[in-house]
Amino acid sequence: MPELPEVETIVRQLNSELKGETIEKVELISPGVLKDIEPADFVNQVEGRKVLNVNRRGKLILVELEKDLTVLIHLRLTGKIVGFNGDRVKKDFSTRAIFYFKGKGFCFNDLRKFGSLCLVDLLERERILSKLGPEPLDSTFGLENFQSLLFSQGRKKVKPLLMDQSFLAGIGNIYADEILYFAGVKPDRFVFTLTPLEVRRIFEGIKKVLVEAIEAKGTSFRDYVDFSGKKGGYLYRLKVYRRSGEPCYNCGCLIKKMRLAGRSTHFCPSCQK
DNA sequence: CGCAGTGTTTTTGC
DNA sequence: AGCAAAAACACTGC
């Protein structure tokens, strides 16, 4: 369930821990996590390279190395990056790969094996990143921008659209539900029926919910922990996600659950129109 | 014990 | 074409 706020939290920690450090060794425990590259090639090209920076694009972690190489990490559902110090490697049954640096490192753990690692050059990296929509928290992403994007996709339902990574990068099931609760909009509304006020409230919800979730270091419902193994604090601030049958904090109505585009969707039947 | 539920992206099917 | 469902996997909870 790592979405934008969880990935952002991990990226900030990776950056402060590993920027400028050299990857001394990579251990591939489940080589199947690699996408489009042979295990030996990955190891040969990554070992000995210095980490220049760690960035995020949508839900992707970008570990930028020397020689214009980037390790792309996608955590999908249950992927985790677990840091360690000294020789106290935090390896467990779900560990798929281990990156060793001088005196520290991190494990890539992933229970369900949906997560992936790959190594790309600048051209391939641009090809992959260009498929993603804008970064919702980018200062250049404004209301007018959002409006015109929305109305080019008018016949879609609003929640599935918010989660479409080529529309907007980084929003998943948890934050889509929370954003639409904030906006007072039912998740299955068709986009062309939204009023200008509702569009503005959704836009404001995107910014507010994501910023606050980053401040809380993400949401830990089941699996997610950050680089230092800590859970996120946003779980206690969720208004609708996973609260079906419980009273709405605003009106007291019971939160409802429905299935939309194959995902569980939570909303207040009275506050969301 | 068995099976539905969990959620992201890609692939397949209608 | 364009959307919906299934698949990839493995554990939890009922």
Side-chain angles (χ1 to χ4, degrees):
Chain A
M1 312 161 209
E3 303 178 29
L4 188 151
E6 290 77 28
V7 178
E8 179 66 24
T9 301
I10 291 169
V11 162
R12 288 179 185 182
Q13 293 168 327
L14 275 174
N15 219 7
S16 74
E17 281 289 320
L18 301 175
K19 188 174 188 158
E21 303 279 333
T22 298
I23 301 173
E24 294 193 332
K25 184 172 173 270
V26 179
E27 194 180 338
L28 292 171
I29 293 154
S30 305
V33 298
L34 291 181
K35 232 177 79 182
D36 304 325
I37 186 167
E38 291 301 313
D41 288 339
F42 183 84
V43 170
N44 286 337
Q45 294 196 63
V46 164
E47 284 183 351
R49 292 265 145 75
K50 192 194 279 183
V51 173
L52 301 181
N53 215 345
V54 185
N55 270 310
R56 178 189 63 73
R57 180 76 172 88
K59 300 173 190 173
L60 269 177
I61 300 171
L62 284 62
V63 183
E64 297 168 358
L65 307 179
E66 298 168 299
K67 279 212 148 190
D68 290 336
L69 291 171
T70 305
V71 178
L72 298 180
I73 306 177
H74 201 306
L75 301 173
R76 298 281 177 106
L77 279 83
T78 54
K80 299 177 198 178
I81 301 291
V82 184
F84 59 82
N85 277 306
D87 47 13
R88 302 185 52 185
V89 183
K90 293 257 181 64
K91 185 179 173 182
D92 66 23
F93 69 98
S94 72
T95 300
R96 309 301 169 196
I98 309 177
F99 290 74
Y100 296 93
F101 296 74
K102 201 182 203 75
K104 51 183 153 183
F106 66 87
C107 293
F108 174 56
N109 295 352
D110 186 15
L111 179 66
R112 288 175 71 178
K113 295 185 180 172
F114 288 161
S116 62
L117 293 177
C118 67
L119 183 68
V120 292
D121 59 21
L122 287 182
L123 198 71
E124 179 66 4
R125 171 179 151 151
E126 182 49 32
R127 197 187 64 79
I128 292 170
L129 297 189
S130 66
K131 292 179 186 168
L132 296 173
E135 280 294 322
L137 293 184
D138 198 304
S139 57
T140 62
F141 179 68
L143 178 60
E144 296 79 10
N145 209 319
F146 180 60
Q147 276 170 334
S148 56
L149 258 179
L150 258 189
F151 288 114
S152 69
Q153 304 280 327
R155 63 235 80 90
K156 293 188 174 158
K157 290 179 179 176
V158 62
K159 177 179 171 184
L161 186 57
L162 285 181
M163 293 197 302
D164 181 343
Q165 301 301 298
S166 66
F167 171 74
L168 207 53
I171 296 172
N173 208 32
I174 297 174
Y175 297 110
D177 280 1
E178 295 298 315
I179 287 164
L180 291 171
Y181 174 80
F182 175 86
V185 172
K186 272 214 176 73
D188 61 352
R189 283 275 296 282
F190 282 100
V191 167
F192 67 84
T193 70
L194 297 173
T195 67
L197 177 63
E198 287 172 330
V199 171
R200 206 183 77 214
R201 286 215 302 255
I202 295 170
F203 176 78
E204 287 166 355
I206 290 170
K207 299 270 186 186
K208 181 179 152 71
V209 168
L210 293 180
V211 165
E212 289 184 358
I214 291 172
E215 283 168 4
K217 297 190 162 52
T219 302
S220 294
F221 153 59
R222 182 179 288 162
D223 297 287
Y224 167 76
V225 287
D226 71 12
F227 186 82
S228 55
K230 289 204 191 75
K231 287 172 174 271
Y234 202 73
L235 177 68
Y236 307 102
R237 302 177 57 180
L238 295 175
K239 308 287 196 294
V240 284
Y241 184 77
R242 282 242 138 203
R243 293 197 66 247
S244 50
E246 294 175 48
C248 169
Y249 295 126
N250 181 49
C251 74
C253 281
L254 300 187
I255 300 299
K256 272 193 160 175
K257 184 171 167 177
M258 66 191 270
R259 218 154 172 85
L260 187 55
R263 336 289 277 264
S264 60
T265 296
H266 314 75
F267 64 100
C268 171
S270 146
C271 295
Q272 292 174 260
K273 306 293 179 196

